[in-house]
Amino acid sequence: MKKYPRHPYQDPALKTTTNGTGFFGAAPATAPVFEAPISRRENFLRAARHENPMWVPISYSDLQYRLPNELADERGDKQLGPRFHAPSPVDYTFLDSFGNSWTWCADAHGAMLTPGTKVVEDICDWEKLIKFPNFDDWNFREKAAQFMKNEYDPEKAMHVNIYQGLTEMLVAFLGGYGEGMMALAEEPEACRDFFWRFAQYMTDYFDLLNELYPVDYVTYHDDWGTERDTFFSEKMMEELVYEPTKKIVDHIKGAGKVFELHSCGKIERFFPYISALDIDLVWMQPRANDMQMLKAKYGDKIGFVTPMDGLEIGKTYTDDELVKIVRNNVEKYAPGGGYVPFLRNVDPKETWTVANELYAYSREFYE
């Protein structure tokens, strides 16, 4: 087995790249770029598709992101999503493209539905009250042209985030999770009709972005649970949520893209459906789910995007501690591919150490 070097911090022999999702208040990170026989884009695609990656993808350096609010300029108090790429240090309120009001919570680094917001009182009235946005009203094309001219890097995998999915938007329009779950129970036919219409909107939205960007993979958000259990039952999944979700997944995968589901909560009971949907990657909460059980049971088909076990934001680590954490995670989650750790270090030296060890050790591990 070849041994790969661990380069000292800011080694001038290495190129660097600055990247970062901005999620959870994390600033963009500068990470080393290592010489490799294949591109970082090709390696990511191999990992996501369980096709013999050469190393575990490094989110700092191997991926480039287009987050919702980066896809179009803000229009007055309207924006496509929170300013994740430049998180506000203070709370603020904005309207999404459907007219729902959201409040950015600086302490939580996330947006919550503004209390009192309710576009739809009765889900049976959704067709009369929900106005789907006109894409031409937003300058998607200009923003994409600027990005492709000034920022696009063909060496990196191109990611777009299409944001909120079926059940999340049902909840948003009705004013909260209690209202949304009651609608599923009391008016299943109306909910199902709304889901099918919203699935069509999501496929149209993807088609636009796929026209404007050389998309490699897509993240779709639909939170299905709390940290105790799922919001709704298997029966509701089967009868209401599964088929419209399948329409979205099939459409995006049919275009040759990697499909990633982001879903918060303890969603283990839905993994048979996630597997049947042929979802490539699941971005989920390790603390709420038995990740090693899921890897053992579904890891030959489904990949996992998670923070590294043992790596906490705001805590400092020695180099030896970081090396141990990286190696433990590679040994647990990397076998067979399908592992993309979501790295969120904020200390520049720690970022370098984690990226270097992840690249070198995972190459050694796979070889």
Side-chain angles (χ1 to χ4, degrees):
M1 179 183 71
K2 185 176 180 179
K3 185 81 171 174
Y4 291 90
R6 276 64 170 175
H7 296 269
Y9 179 49
Q10 295 183 332
D11 186 344
L14 288 181
K15 297 178 182 178
T16 61
T17 184
T18 300
N19 201 357
T21 66
F23 277 117
F24 310 111
T30 299
V33 177
F34 305 99
E35 293 291 332
I38 61 175
S39 71
R40 289 165 279 161
R41 173 182 179 271
E42 180 181 345
N43 186 70
F44 167 80
L45 294 174
R46 286 192 188 186
R49 293 168 175 160
H50 296 82
E51 296 173 353
N52 299 314
M54 299 191 72
W55 67 91
V56 169
I58 303 165
S59 60
Y60 294 137
S61 57
D62 298 4
L63 311 174
Q64 55 195 329
Y65 304 90
R66 295 305 280 159
L67 297 172
N69 197 53
E70 296 172 306
L71 296 169
D73 285 333
E74 298 178 13
R75 300 173 60 242
D77 57 355
K78 287 187 175 182
Q79 57 195 69
L80 291 181
R83 301 173 189 133
F84 280 127
H85 60 294
S88 172
V90 297
D91 294 359
Y92 69 94
T93 299
F94 65 93
L95 299 178
D96 66 19
S97 58
F98 289 90
N100 295 304
S101 178
W102 299 85
T103 297
W104 170 261
C105 302
D107 289 343
H109 300 292
M112 302 296 291
L113 199 65
T114 304
T117 297
K118 186 175 288 193
V119 172
V120 178
E121 188 72 39
D122 184 338
I123 190 59
C124 294
D125 297 329
W126 72 267
E127 288 183 277
K128 293 183 290 184
L129 298 174
I130 295 176
K131 297 189 178 356
F132 284 80
N134 184 340
F135 296 135
D136 291 337
D137 292 340
W138 298 78
N139 62 334
F140 287 100
R141 296 183 184 280
E142 293 88 342
K143 292 291 283 190
Q146 292 170 13
F147 175 83
M148 293 301 298
K149 179 181 179 181
N150 301 319
E151 299 178 57
Y152 174 62
D153 183 349
E155 282 288 305
K156 298 178 180 180
M158 181 73 237
H159 166 270
V160 296
N161 193 315
I162 59 173
Y163 211 37
Q164 290 172 291
L166 304 179
T167 66
E168 287 193 12
M169 289 306 291
L170 175 75
V171 165
F173 287 127
L174 289 171
Y177 271 94
E179 293 84 348
M181 297 307 104
M182 287 297 291
L184 289 176
E186 294 179 341
E187 300 292 349
E189 293 83 3
C191 290
R192 186 187 301 112
D193 291 344
F194 163 72
F195 287 158
W196 278 109
R197 175 63 182 89
F198 200 82
Q200 182 61 54
Y201 163 78
M202 292 298 273
T203 59
D204 292 343
Y205 186 32
F206 163 76
D207 287 344
L208 172 67
L209 298 179
N210 193 40
E211 174 191 343
L212 299 177
Y213 298 92
V215 176
D216 290 310
Y217 84 110
V218 173
T219 298
Y220 166 83
H221 292 245
D222 211 21
D223 290 345
W224 288 342
T226 69
E227 293 193 21
R228 292 185 301 174
D229 206 346
T230 57
F231 285 123
F232 49 92
S233 68
E234 287 97 331
K235 183 177 176 64
M236 288 179 173
M237 168 61 80
E238 292 172 8
E239 296 183 357
L240 303 178
V241 179
Y242 180 86
E243 289 296 339
T245 302
K246 188 174 189 300
K247 174 184 174 68
I248 298 169
V249 178
D250 287 352
H251 186 82
I252 292 173
K253 292 205 62 176
K257 314 306 177 184
V258 171
F259 188 97
E260 176 182 274
L261 168 69
H262 169 80
S263 192
C264 286
K266 185 177 176 62
I267 60 170
E268 293 172 3
R269 71 162 77 205
F270 286 157
F271 259 75
Y273 304 100
I274 292 171
S275 179
L277 286 166
D278 199 25
I279 286 171
D280 298 301
L281 299 169
V282 182
W283 176 8
M284 58 193 300
Q285 292 175 286
R287 69 187 184 195
N289 297 278
D290 186 341
M291 298 299 297
Q292 288 185 271
M293 178 277 289
L294 293 172
K295 172 70 176 179
K297 191 170 182 179
Y298 297 99
D300 61 332
K301 184 177 179 182
I302 300 172
F304 298 93
V305 179
T306 71
M308 279 198 170
D309 292 354
L311 200 57
E312 300 176 24
I313 295 177
K315 184 176 178 180
T316 58
Y317 298 88
T318 66
D319 284 353
D320 287 344
E321 289 171 333
L322 292 171
V323 166
K324 184 177 180 180
I325 287 170
V326 168
R327 293 184 178 190
N328 285 342
N329 279 268
V330 168
E331 289 163 8
K332 281 194 291 187
Y333 299 123
Y339 176 46
V340 185
F342 180 55
L343 304 174
R344 299 185 291 175
N345 295 71
V346 292
D347 178 84
K349 187 173 184 297
E350 288 185 2
T351 295
W352 183 286
T353 301
V354 168
N356 197 161
E357 187 62 26
L358 183 57
Y359 176 81
Y361 188 68
S362 64
R363 280 207 71 175
E364 294 160 1
F365 181 86
Y366 282 132
E367 289 179 8

